[in-house]
Amino acid sequence: YEARDRVGGRCAGGTLGGIPVDLGAEFSHGRGPVFDLCAAAGLAPPRPLVDYAEDAPEALRVRLYSDGALVDGNGRDVAATLRMRECWDDVLCDDSWASDARADTTFADLASTLPPSAQRAMDAFMAVEYATSLEDLGVKEWRRREHFFDARDCSTDFHMEGQYAAAMVALAQRAAAAGASLHLRRPVGVVAASDGCVRVDGEAFDCAVVTVPLPVLASGALGLRGVRCGLLEAARRVKCHGASKVMLQLSHKVWERRSGEPATEGRWGELLLCSDEESFARQVWLREAAGGVFIAAGFLAGPRDSALCEALTTEEAAERLLGQLRAVYGMGEELQALDAIKVDWGSDPFSQGGYTSPSVGGCGVWRELRDSGCDRLLLA
């Protein structure tokens, strides 16, 4: 049962300049199952766009726009990133943060003693990885997740280049070939688990997999019956917020025209972080697609940034992002937007928010949500 008129949920697609683009999910963080999915669907494997390791190759390093200048965001050569990484290292190496006896706090409190430039840089980096702001990011769950991901080598982000929607269609076709029946435009109202079966809006099944976003679950829009006591309370402890994307087809390739920096040969894309207060999107990724089509995606997530984007029309948001790129890369009216798309997942009725993030009071809640209390009902 699929609520939308297509498969995929927040794996959604569109086109800019005739090139497929991902309006929702866009990356594989590390070499995960997405690679197997692309191979099974006959799609090209995702390409590495950025590597956050300090010794990453030049072509995969983050570009940070800080205090009016483009700098290397990966290393410790810049004062802002040096202090930011020192703060991270202190948390990651301090085992007291894993103790129940230590009170949790937000990164805004933790970073309050850092210089403003370091705080802004940290805010931009957290927008990339956790799609939220320092005021809403809990330190203890962040630390647990960083250790978890570090053990799985997730420092490299691979870009799907507009293929997520096609991958979802291929997955649906595989399911149909295996005997599944796909029902589009079919929102589910109640899932009730009992001994021997699971009833989905009254229809009995042996088991069920429920894959709604947590904001929908927490809102009560989907009724769950027969689940573990406290499950929905755990879902409501998760911080949920909106996420918006503004995507532009650019008139030319901006990242080879940095002020004071020579052109880099063979660079097909770039991840840009913007920590200046006047920047519209704190993260922007750019890529060159087939046929010389240049695409920029501005990402605004968390309660502050997503609300700003949702209040704008597509044209207004596109102009804000275009102005930001002109400032970062030292350009004027010669840089134009040929086409634009804006999507707001926070106002989407079947999403009610694009992301959940590790917040104060949410430490450990992800493990609680694994257990529905019924072996016939799985929450994914």
Side-chain angles (χ1 to χ4, degrees):
Y1 292 134
E2 169 59 61
R4 304 178 190 273
D5 59 1
R6 56 170 179 80
V7 297
R10 286 171 293 176
C11 293
T15 58
L16 275 176
I19 299 297
V21 294
D22 291 308
L23 303 180
E26 196 161 351
F27 290 92
S28 171
H29 303 297
R31 290 185 176 274
V34 172
F35 279 76
D36 295 332
L37 177 60
C38 287
L43 302 171
R47 279 203 286 177
L49 179 66
V50 63
D51 188 328
Y52 297 104
E54 291 182 49
D55 58 351
E58 177 66 24
L60 296 179
R61 298 173 80 83
V62 178
R63 303 293 175 177
L64 175 66
Y65 185 65
S66 175
D67 296 327
L70 266 173
V71 298
D72 179 6
N74 274 46
R76 300 171 182 262
D77 298 333
V78 180
T81 57
L82 171 64
R83 296 297 303 276
M84 173 188 69
R85 288 187 177 276
E86 287 177 343
C87 182
W88 286 350
D89 289 345
D90 289 344
V91 173
L92 292 172
C93 295
D94 186 352
D95 290 339
S96 69
W97 285 108
S99 170
D100 293 338
R102 181 160 188 171
D104 200 1
T105 188
T106 68
F107 259 96
D109 291 334
L110 188 71
S112 60
T113 59
L114 297 179
S117 61
Q119 292 184 42
R120 293 195 300 268
M122 183 181 290
D123 205 29
F125 266 88
M126 293 310 190
V128 172
E129 289 302 301
Y130 292 104
T132 189
S133 59
L134 299 186
E135 293 81 7
D136 288 288
L137 187 62
V139 175
K140 297 185 76 169
E141 180 66 14
W142 173 87
R143 182 183 185 275
R144 188 191 74 82
R145 287 196 189 188
E146 286 298 306
H147 280 293
F148 178 88
F149 289 129
D150 186 58
R152 285 154 180 79
D153 190 20
C154 294
S155 64
T156 303
D157 281 355
F158 296 83
H159 197 274
M160 283 289 285
E161 300 185 75
Q163 296 187 121
Y164 255 121
M168 294 298 101
V169 171
L171 192 61
Q173 291 171 343
R174 284 169 53 193
S181 298
L182 178 63
H183 304 272
L184 298 177
R185 303 179 186 85
R186 180 66 167 79
V188 171
V190 177
V191 178
S194 61
D195 292 338
C197 74
V198 176
R199 294 188 178 275
V200 179
D201 286 346
E203 187 175 358
F205 296 92
D206 292 334
C207 54
V209 179
V210 179
T211 60
V212 297
L214 276 177
V216 177
L217 190 63
S219 72
L222 172 69
L224 283 182
R225 310 285 185 266
V227 296
R228 178 177 59 82
C229 181
L231 181 69
L232 293 183
E233 286 74 11
R236 295 185 181 107
R237 285 168 51 204
V238 177
K239 183 73 174 182
C240 303
H241 43 257
S244 298
K245 290 177 78 171
V246 183
M247 309 194 75
L248 307 181
Q249 179 192 354
L250 298 176
S251 54
H252 54 270
K253 188 175 183 177
V254 294
W255 61 95
E256 285 190 349
R257 300 177 60 178
R258 299 187 195 94
S259 176
E261 181 177 305
T264 303
E265 294 296 327
R267 191 179 199 124
W268 72 278
E270 172 162 291
L271 180 66
L272 170 69
L273 302 183
C274 296
S275 62
D276 280 27
E277 292 179 337
E278 66 271 16
S279 292
F280 173 58
R282 286 181 293 162
Q283 56 175 308
V284 184
W285 46 89
L286 308 102
R287 68 180 174 105
E288 180 177 3
V293 176
F294 307 110
I295 295 171
F299 188 58
L300 298 95
R304 177 185 62 205
D305 293 355
S306 62
L308 168 66
C309 195
E310 286 184 17
L312 301 176
T313 66
T314 298
E315 292 73 19
E316 290 169 338
E319 190 60 34
R320 291 283 299 273
L321 182 58
L322 182 63
Q324 177 180 340
L325 292 173
R326 286 171 174 168
V328 169
Y329 292 105
M331 294 184 174
E333 295 294 325
E334 74 271 18
L335 180 64
Q336 294 290 326
L338 306 182
D339 199 1
I341 301 174
K342 181 170 85 85
V343 59
D344 300 304
W345 291 105
S347 57
D348 181 277
F350 300 125
S351 171
Q352 297 187 28
Y355 278 85
T356 58
S357 60
S359 56
V360 173
C363 189
V365 72
W366 317 100
R367 285 164 286 188
E368 293 182 44
L369 290 169
R370 287 180 176 179
D371 180 16
S372 70
C374 174
D375 59 7
R376 293 181 177 274
L377 180 63
L378 173 68
L379 297 181

